[in-house]
Amino acid sequence: MKPRFSFLVFFISAQTFALSESAKDQVRFLDKPYAITRISSLDTDCVWTKDDKGRLVSEASGPYGSGVCWHESAVEEAENLNDQGILTWHEAPVFDYEYGNKNKCYYEVDKKNGIARLLFGDNVTEREAEECRRPESEIKAIASASLIERKVEFGGYVARKNNLLGSLTLACYTGSLDTNNIMVSEAERMRRYRAILDLYKDDNPSASRITRAFEFASKNLSNRYPLDTRGQYRVAVCDQMVASGKL
């Protein structure tokens, strides 16, 4: 007779419950949506993702890899819950906060889920590494972490999310590049544009302005001024358009 486990499913959102240490260990390196079930009789959390065919996969690994989450009964129960639409799926963790010294101990932090990833720099000592592994150090890192500044940089220019005018100017500069530029290929030009646009993926009004700036320059400045080999005229036009609020 197959053993049956008593399951409790997390219906609530990831923000409203504290992940267990076993769940954190499984979730912290995920790059795909996940769901969590709890085997209440064993006080164990199981983390599930889906493969490319939509089948449930247990993320139990390391010390959890040979445990109950891989048991056929646990898998069967989770599949039944998923088929019923009961499992709550959460987005992959987003480590948009940071804390520490990149040359010593450095934490990437997902404050929403209370998860930190510990990384070691080249100059960390064994004693420092041991201190950083302590649970108290991780708790401090999560509490004290600061938001990572989102930016892109190329051609000597920097676009930061908190500086929309600067980003608009760089989007215009990028759009003004000739499509047959020997220094910046068309593929690279588009990559740069998408990188700037990605800074504002959660801000539709600003993203629309980035697109307008790029498209304005692509239509009106790119491939039109063969004598402006250093782009000085095009840069001046972009600066003026942004300063006047026309982009």
Side-chain angles (χ1 to χ4, degrees), residues 3-7 9 37 39 48 56 71-84 87:
R4 309 297 295 182
F5 301 123
S6 175
F7 269 76
V9 185
T37 57
I39 303 176
W48 307 91
L56 285 187
H71 194 279
E72 60 180 308
S73 179
V75 176
E76 181 182 327
E77 291 281 3
E79 288 176 342
N80 288 337
L81 294 169
N82 187 56
D83 291 342
Q84 297 173 46
L87 283 184

Side-chain angles (χ1 to χ4, degrees), residues 105-131:
C105 295
Y106 175 72
Y107 298 86
E108 297 175 334
V109 176
D110 175 356
K111 283 208 170 192
K112 180 179 178 180
N113 292 308
I115 302 173
R117 294 196 298 214
L118 174 59
L119 306 172
F120 295 115
D122 294 335
N123 298 327
V124 66
T125 66
E126 185 175 340
R127 182 176 180 180
E128 289 169 335
E130 188 63 30
E131 177 66 24

Side-chain angles (χ1 to χ4, degrees), residues 169 173 233-247:
T169 303
Y173 292 171
Y233 173 73
R234 284 171 277 192
V235 165
V237 172
C238 288
D239 288 344
Q240 183 178 9
M241 292 292 289
V242 171
S244 64
K246 294 180 179 179
L247 293 179

Side-chain angles (χ1 to χ4, degrees), residues 144-237:
S144 305
S146 57
L147 188 65
I148 296 174
E149 181 185 34
R150 297 187 63 197
K151 65 180 181 179
V152 295
E153 183 174 1
F154 35 74
Y157 297 97
V158 179
R160 293 181 170 85
K161 184 177 182 180
N162 61 4
N163 181 3
L164 178 58
L165 293 183
S167 298
L168 289 170
T169 303
L170 187 53
C172 185
Y173 292 171
T174 303
S176 75
L177 293 171
D178 293 336
T179 56
N180 62 350
N181 189 302
I182 61 174
M183 300 296 293
V184 180
S185 68
E186 175 63 5
E188 173 62 13
R189 187 176 82 109
M190 294 304 299
R191 186 199 69 78
R192 293 182 179 188
Y193 161 61
R194 287 190 292 268
I196 301 169
L197 189 62
D198 188 59
L199 290 176
Y200 300 93
K201 60 183 178 182
D202 299 323
D203 182 352
N204 289 334
S206 296
S208 295
R209 292 185 66 184
I210 294 294
T211 297
R212 286 200 302 271
F214 177 81
E215 291 180 346
F216 162 81
S218 294
K219 180 180 179 180
N220 297 288
L221 300 176
S222 178
N223 300 325
R224 286 178 174 267
Y225 299 94
L227 298 181
D228 185 31
T229 55
R230 300 182 64 183
Q232 292 176 315
Y233 173 73
R234 284 171 277 192
V235 165
V237 172

Side-chain angles (χ1 to χ4, degrees), residues 6 20 22 37-46 68:
S6 175
S20 67
S22 64
T37 57
R38 169 173 283 272
I39 303 176
S40 54
S41 60
L42 300 175
D43 194 28
T44 299
D45 293 336
C46 296
V68 294

